[in-house]
Amino acid sequence: MVLVRTALPDDIVDIAAIYDDEVQHGISTFATEPPGPDYWHERLSSTHPGDHVLAAERDGVVIGYAYSSSYRPRAAYRHTRETSIYLAAGARGSGIGRALYDELLSRLRAGGVRTVVAVVALPNPGSQALHRACGFERAGVLHDVGRKFDRWIDTELWERRLTVSGDR
Ligand SMILES: CC(C)(COP(=O)(O)OP(=O)(O)OC[C@H]1O[C@@H](n2cnc3c(N)ncnc32)[C@H](O)[C@@H]1OP(=O)(O)O)[C@@H](O)C(=O)NCCC(=O)NCCS
């Protein structure tokens, strides 16, 4: 059974292992060096009401996580959050991503966030399918904005509106 809950400092070793593998072997992050534990402690200690870090735990081990954070730093973006999600390789394709995102989006909606943005480096059919399944809509593609493993990489922007357009 998988438990989705708020991530804790003790989860950082597991979370970092999942992320660092993608840093070194994947294109879904444009980081090229593992960021180290301080990066994760900073994320977990954010006090912004739209910032959350969630962990998916199975048998006492964190097998995936999702978080929300600033989309861009300028003040007028404060009701917009960017989300990110990573699962350990053996945990993919069995609904855990969906469970993490459903809980994250529910917390963001409860916190008054208006629009959620996700940036998907292409190709990534699993991430595209997850975002579509969670109600995101494709907003456009930026071409050749990343370069990793000696090739150019496009990113696709996805958006999820959490409040109706008539809301003030
Ligand atoms: C992308 C990722 C988070 C998806 O999580 P997941 O647990 O594998 O996805 P789920 O099993 O919850 O599936 C969610 C939906 O996507 C579909 N899906 C999942 N993987 C898929 C794939 N490889 N191809 C096509 N569809 C896929 C599922 O069928 C499901 O659709 P449905 O709800 O309509 O049935 C996970 O694969 C992952 O961690 N990938 C590596 C890191 C990464 O790319 N992160 C995203 C950065 S933007």
Side-chain angles (χ1 to χ4, degrees), residues 8-114:
L8 303 168
D10 280 353
D11 300 326
I12 285 177
V13 170
D14 289 342
I15 288 175
I18 294 167
Y19 185 64
D20 293 353
D21 187 59
E22 200 62 26
V23 168
Q24 287 165 323
H25 305 293
I27 60 153
S28 64
T29 172
F30 281 179
T32 55
E33 298 288 337
D38 288 353
Y39 168 84
W40 294 107
H41 281 289
E42 201 172 311
R43 283 210 178 282
L44 261 58
S45 61
S46 171
T47 55
H48 187 289
D51 287 356
H52 304 275
V53 186
L54 303 182
E57 178 190 326
R58 185 166 59 199
D59 300 330
V61 177
V62 172
I63 52 169
Y65 67 92
Y67 65 80
S68 56
S69 59
S70 164
Y71 168 57
R72 300 191 75 178
R74 305 263 191 250
Y77 284 114
R78 68 191 176 281
H79 297 290
T80 300
R81 301 324 272 168
E82 181 172 339
T83 54
S84 197
I85 180 165
Y86 292 87
L87 267 57
R92 295 173 194 167
S94 59
I96 299 167
R98 183 68 193 266
L100 276 164
Y101 247 29
D102 283 350
E103 176 62 20
L104 184 59
L105 292 172
S106 154
R107 292 191 190 195
L108 291 173
R109 186 181 290 104
V113 167
R114 188 175 181 91

Side-chain angles (χ1 to χ4, degrees), residues 23-27 30 32 144 146-154:
V23 168
Q24 287 165 323
H25 305 293
I27 60 153
F30 281 179
T32 55
D144 293 350
R147 187 162 180 87
K148 195 170 178 182
F149 307 132
D150 286 329
R151 63 186 178 88
W152 296 108
I153 303 168
D154 299 344

